[in-house]
């Protein structure tokens, strides 16, 4: 995408209102002032103190200002940067949280450090976003599915005179086993297609909740394990609908029940 196209797309996105900008600056400069200072020290000047956000424009451009002291006195410096994938207040918080975490890890030499701002954003995501990470069926389920499909395949397509096959064909004919086998394959294929399509919708509208790797895992799981995998996936989808519905419900007015 060319730079003019990027700018046009940015203009078309809903921006932050002046009220939202003011609230966000106030929160960042009071509650998370230590994180802002670490960003200034790591990406700006190691001697930076009293860092603060001085401007957040309507489309996520952020200006960070800080003070430095030396033998010649004090000075004020600043830097500007744009938020990647801007989609509102949450994207600004997420970007600053990631920068603060990177700065904290570099300054403290602790690769497991997480900034206060990033922890707050993760806690919020946990309340409003569903984790679509792939849930692998248990070893028992996978073993039973593998044994069942292997046995059905042998009964359906094998012309061997093995005693076990003969015993099975005494109860179910080979032609019946074949139609059942084909039906199971078709159903698993359709389940995989449905899962893949739903994952694509989630990835389109909520890219933070679904990536291509997770989509492939759920699709392959649906093809191999059918309902045993589809049940876990459907539970996550229902939880997402429940969260969305709860967030749309109007809050009760004071003095009303």
């Amino acid at each position: 995408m060319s730079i003019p196209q990027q700018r046009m797309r940015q203009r078309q996105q809903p921006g932050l209102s002046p009220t939202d900008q003011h609230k966000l600056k106030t929160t960042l400069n009071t509650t998370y002032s230590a994180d802002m200072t670490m960003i200034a020290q790591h990406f700006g000047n190691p001697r930076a103190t009293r860092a603060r956000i001085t401007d957040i424009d309507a489309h996520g451009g952020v200006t960070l200002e800080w003070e430095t002291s030396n033998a010649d006195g004090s000075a004020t410096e600043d830097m500007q940067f744009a938020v990647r994938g801007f989609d509102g207040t949450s994207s600004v918080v997420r970007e600053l949280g990631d920068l603060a975490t990177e700065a904290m890890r570099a300054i403290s030499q602790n690769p497991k450090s997480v900034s206060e701002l990033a922890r707050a954003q993760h806690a919020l995501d946990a309340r409003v976003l569903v984790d679509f990470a792939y849930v692998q069926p248990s070893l028992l389920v996978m073993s039973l599915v593998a044994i069942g499909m292997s046995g059905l395949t042998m009964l359906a397509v094998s012309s061997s005179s093995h005693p076990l096959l003969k015993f099975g064909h005494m109860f179910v004919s080979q032609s019946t086993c074949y139609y059942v086998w084909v039906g199971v394959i078709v159903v698993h294929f359709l389940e995989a297609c449905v899962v893949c399509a739903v994952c694509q919708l989630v990835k389109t509208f909520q890219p933070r909740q679904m990536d291509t790797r997770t989509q492939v895992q759920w699709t392959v799981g649906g093809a191999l394990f059918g309902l045993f995998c589809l049940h876990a996936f459907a539970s996550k989808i229902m939880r997402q609908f429940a969260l969305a519905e709860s967030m749309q419900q109007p809050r009760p007015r004071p003095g009303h029940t």
Side-chain angles (χ1 to χ4, degrees):
M1 184 183 294
S2 65
I3 292 178
Q5 288 176 326
Q6 290 177 347
R7 289 176 177 173
M8 179 61 68
R9 183 178 178 182
Q10 188 181 54
R11 292 191 191 102
Q12 293 173 347
Q13 291 175 335
L16 295 177
S17 67
T19 301
D20 290 337
Q21 296 174 39
H22 176 72
K23 289 181 179 179
L24 184 55
K25 281 195 301 181
T26 301
T27 300
L28 293 173
N29 291 333
T30 54
T31 307
Y32 304 104
S33 58
D35 288 345
M36 300 304 103
T37 299
M38 282 190 295
I39 293 175
Q41 291 173 344
H42 179 63
F43 296 100
N45 190 323
R47 298 192 303 273
T49 59
R50 300 180 62 184
R52 58 192 177 277
I53 300 294
T54 58
D55 182 60
I56 301 176
D57 66 31
H59 295 288
V62 178
T63 301
L64 180 65
E65 183 181 276
W66 63 87
E67 298 178 4
T68 58
S69 300
N70 51 43
D72 299 328
S74 61
T76 300
E77 301 175 352
D78 62 37
M79 69 176 181
Q80 299 176 337
F81 55 90
V83 174
R84 298 166 294 180
F86 173 77
D87 60 4
T89 300
S90 61
S91 60
V92 178
V93 174
R94 193 175 305 110
E95 180 80 9
L96 290 173
D98 291 343
L99 292 176
T101 295
E102 181 179 346
M104 176 181 284
R105 291 176 178 178
I107 294 172
S108 66
Q109 298 297 313
N110 183 356
K112 295 183 179 180
S113 297
V114 179
S115 66
E116 289 291 335
L117 185 57
R119 280 199 291 266
Q121 183 62 35
H122 293 162
L124 177 62
D125 287 346
R127 292 196 300 270
V128 301
L129 299 178
V130 174
D131 181 13
F132 277 94
Y134 175 66
V135 179
Q136 182 173 293
S138 66
L139 182 60
L140 176 61
V141 168
M142 291 191 293
S143 301
L144 291 176
V145 170
I147 294 173
M149 286 300 298
S150 298
L152 182 59
T153 301
M154 292 294 293
L155 289 171
V157 301
S158 177
S159 58
S160 172
S161 58
H162 192 279
L164 289 178
L165 292 179
K166 288 184 176 181
F167 180 77
H169 289 151
M170 290 175 58
F171 300 94
V172 184
S173 66
Q174 185 172 9
S175 60
T176 301
C177 291
Y178 177 77
Y179 289 122
V180 172
W181 177 69
V182 171
V184 170
I185 292 177
V186 170
V187 169
H188 279 222
F189 174 76
L190 292 177
E191 289 174 344
C193 290
V194 171
V195 170
C196 183
V198 175
C199 287
Q200 185 61 43
L201 287 175
V202 175
K203 189 169 66 172
T204 300
F205 293 102
Q206 296 290 348
R208 289 188 291 135
Q209 296 176 259
M210 178 73 65
D211 55 21
T212 301
R213 181 171 179 268
T214 304
Q215 181 182 18
V216 171
Q217 288 176 327
W218 280 114
T219 302
V220 173
L224 294 178
F225 305 112
L227 290 175
F228 295 104
C229 182
L230 197 61
H231 178 268
F233 183 73
S235 298
K236 292 179 179 289
I237 293 295
M238 295 304 295
R239 186 184 171 204
Q240 181 65 68
F241 279 123
L243 281 174
E245 183 178 358
S246 65
M247 292 175 65
Q248 291 176 356
Q249 291 178 352
R251 295 179 180 179
R253 296 180 180 179
H256 290 73
T257 58

